[in-house]
Amino acid sequence: MIGQENGKNRLQQAQEDVEEVKGIMLENMNKADERTEKMGDLEERAEHLLSKAVVFEKRTEKVKQQKRWENKKMKVVFIGIGVAAALIILGLIIYAIVNSTGA
């Protein structure tokens, strides 16, 4: 009888150990599922962020080109104003010289 009780205790202990391991494994599987969900969410957010970055990069390139064009136009305008001012000054000088020699 003592042998049978000892065997039952061992069997009962083994079953308790199995249940404990089973509980731990289920907990680990649940945690793994949660991590998988979180990774999926993180991947979606990363993809969304990447698409926004691509749009931002395109917009910045467009703005950069637009500003470059505006700067070139302003340079042309200032050069034109400078040339016009120089021609007016030159014309006034020539007019003054012609009037002073002719008078």
Side-chain angles (χ1 to χ4, degrees):
M1 269 231 182
I2 293 177
Q4 283 183 338
E5 279 186 31
N6 195 16
K8 286 182 182 179
N9 286 340
R10 282 185 177 175
L11 180 61
Q12 186 177 1
Q13 182 63 40
Q15 286 176 342
E16 289 173 2
D17 290 346
V18 167
E19 288 299 318
E20 182 182 350
V21 170
K22 182 180 168 184
I24 292 171
M25 289 180 68
L26 287 173
E27 186 179 329
N28 287 342
M29 288 176 63
N30 288 337
K31 287 180 181 179
D33 286 343
E34 288 176 12
R35 283 190 208 110
T36 302
E37 288 175 16
K38 288 180 182 178
M39 287 296 291
D41 291 344
L42 190 59
E43 285 176 0
E44 286 177 18
R45 289 172 51 197
E47 288 173 6
H48 182 68
L49 194 58
L50 180 62
S51 67
K52 281 187 171 185
V54 169
V55 169
F56 178 76
E57 185 178 9
K58 287 179 182 178
R59 284 184 183 166
T60 56
E61 189 62 34
K62 187 176 181 178
V63 168
K64 182 179 172 183
Q65 289 175 352
Q66 185 179 11
K67 292 298 178 186
R68 207 179 273 155
W69 176 244
E70 287 176 8
N71 286 340
K72 285 181 181 182
K73 286 195 302 188
M74 289 304 291
K75 283 181 184 178
V76 169
V77 167
F78 286 136
I79 289 172
I81 290 172
V83 168
L87 288 175
I88 290 172
I89 293 172
L90 185 61
L92 289 174
I93 292 172
I94 291 173
Y95 178 74
I97 291 174
V98 169
N99 278 344
S100 68
T101 57

